[in-house]
Amino acid sequence: MQNEKILIFNIQKFSLHDGPGIRTSIFLKGCPLRCKWCSNPESQNPYVNIFLKDENKTKIDVKKNELNFDQDGYIIEDDLFFDLLKVNGIEENSVKYDQVGRPMDLDRLVEIAMEDKVFYDSSKGGVTISGGEPFMQATLLVELVKKLKAQGLHTAIETTLFTNPENVSKLYPYLDLFIADCKNWNEEVHQIKTGVLNRIILDNLRDVVKNAKDYLIRIPVIPDFNYSKEDAYEFAKLFNDLGIEKVQLLPFHQFGKGKYENYGIKYDYSDKKALVDDDLTDMVKILEGSGIKAWV
C-alpha cells in the first residue's frame, strides 16, 4: 500500500457546514449509490474522468496508473496523455477538457489540511472526509484518517454507510464525528431511487449510534421520495428502533443542476421545485412529537 494514491475530486477549504468549526473537506471519488437527485454526479464514477469540451460532451475514464500526475493529482500532458487522446480519436492540438478526479498521496493531503491548522484551533474545527462515498476506498480511507488524527486534528466523515460493517468499526478509534444520511425507511423505495437496498445502511446506523464518539444523522428530504407526513411517522418509528435521538433535515435543492448539463448527464429532478426550511415544519413536529430532536 506504500505510495498508493487515494482518488479525490475536490478539496474545499474554510467549509462551515461539514462539521463543527472551520474545516477542510476532502471529497473522495466513487460511490455505489446512484441517487436520482445527487448534487455531485461527477463523483459517482471511481475513475479519473476527462470531460472534453466538445459538442458530444465526450467522457474518457482513466485508471490511476494509466497516466502521469503531479503531486496534486493533475494530469501531466506528456506522451502518455496524447496517446490516450489519439486512441479516443482526439487531435491533441484542439483538446480542451475538465479533469474530474485526482489521485493524491495521503501525506500530501495531510500537508494541505495542516496549512489551516490555526483556523481549526481557533474555531474547534478540523477535517471532514466526504464523497462520493469514502468507504469505496476503505483501506486508504482508514490510513488517511489515522494520519490526520496523529496530527491532533478533529476528524469527521460524511457517508452513506453503504459498506461492510468491518470497515466502519475500523474508524471508531480515529473519528470524532460520523455524519450519515438515512434516505428512506422503505427498502423498496430506497432501491428504486438510489440503486441499492437500505438493509446494510440501517444495520450500520444502529452500530454507529452505539459506538461512535459522536454522530449526526441527516435526512435529505426529496420530493416524490420521502417528503410526506407518512414518511415522517415512519422515520420516527425507525429512529426509535435504531436508538437515534437527533436528526437534521436537509431540504431538496438544485445546486448541482448545472453539473448535469455541463457533463452531459441525465437529470431526473430538473423540473422539481427546491424546498425551503419552512416546507419541513410538519416533518420536524412529527419527529419531535416522537421524542426525537429534529431541526432544519
Side-chain angles (χ1 to χ4, degrees), residues 1 16-17 69 74 76 88 90 101 123 135 140 171 187-188 199 210 259 269 271 284:
M1 189 170 59
L16 301 175
H17 304 290
F69 302 87
Y74 292 104
I76 297 173
N88 286 274
I90 309 299
S123 67
F135 281 109
L140 290 169
L171 282 180
E187 184 175 72
E188 181 180 353
R199 296 174 192 173
K210 289 181 179 178
K259 294 183 178 182
Y269 275 74
D271 62 343
V284 168

Side-chain angles (χ1 to χ4, degrees), residues 1-15:
M1 189 170 59
Q2 188 175 8
N3 295 326
E4 188 174 354
K5 298 180 185 296
I6 198 165
L7 187 60
I8 74 165
F9 75 95
N10 194 19
I11 299 173
Q12 182 176 319
K13 293 196 169 193
F14 294 93
S15 175

Side-chain angles (χ1 to χ4, degrees), residues 20 26 35 39 87 101 108 119-120 131-132 138 146 172 176 181 185 197 246-247 261 265 291:
I26 300 171
C35 301
S39 58
V87 168
R108 175 60 179 151
F119 299 109
Y120 312 149
K146 283 183 179 179
Y172 287 138
D176 297 297
D181 285 354
W185 54 272
L197 297 172
K246 54 186 178 180
V247 62
E261 298 170 355
I265 302 171

Side-chain angles (χ1 to χ4, degrees), residues 205-236:
L205 277 170
R206 188 188 301 275
D207 198 61
V208 164
V209 170
K210 289 181 179 178
N211 296 298
K213 295 175 185 177
D214 194 9
Y215 72 86
L216 171 60
I217 308 304
R218 304 183 304 193
I219 303 173
V221 181
I222 311 297
D224 299 330
F225 177 61
N226 60 10
Y227 177 43
S228 70
K229 290 183 178 180
E230 178 192 359
D231 289 313
Y233 284 115
E234 293 295 340
F235 272 122

Side-chain angles (χ1 to χ4, degrees), residues 57 256-265 267:
K57 300 185 183 296
K257 184 177 180 180
K259 294 183 178 182
Y260 289 85
E261 298 170 355
N262 289 341
Y263 297 132
I265 302 171
Y267 183 38

Side-chain angles (χ1 to χ4, degrees), residues 18-35:
D18 300 326
I22 297 171
R23 310 189 70 79
T24 293
S25 294
I26 300 171
F27 295 83
L28 304 191
K29 200 168 187 298
C31 184
L33 277 67
R34 292 295 181 267
C35 301

Side-chain angles (χ1 to χ4, degrees), residues 6 18 86 138-139 156 172 245 249 264:
I6 198 165
D18 300 326
K86 289 178 183 177
T139 301
Y172 287 138
E245 298 177 345
L249 279 61

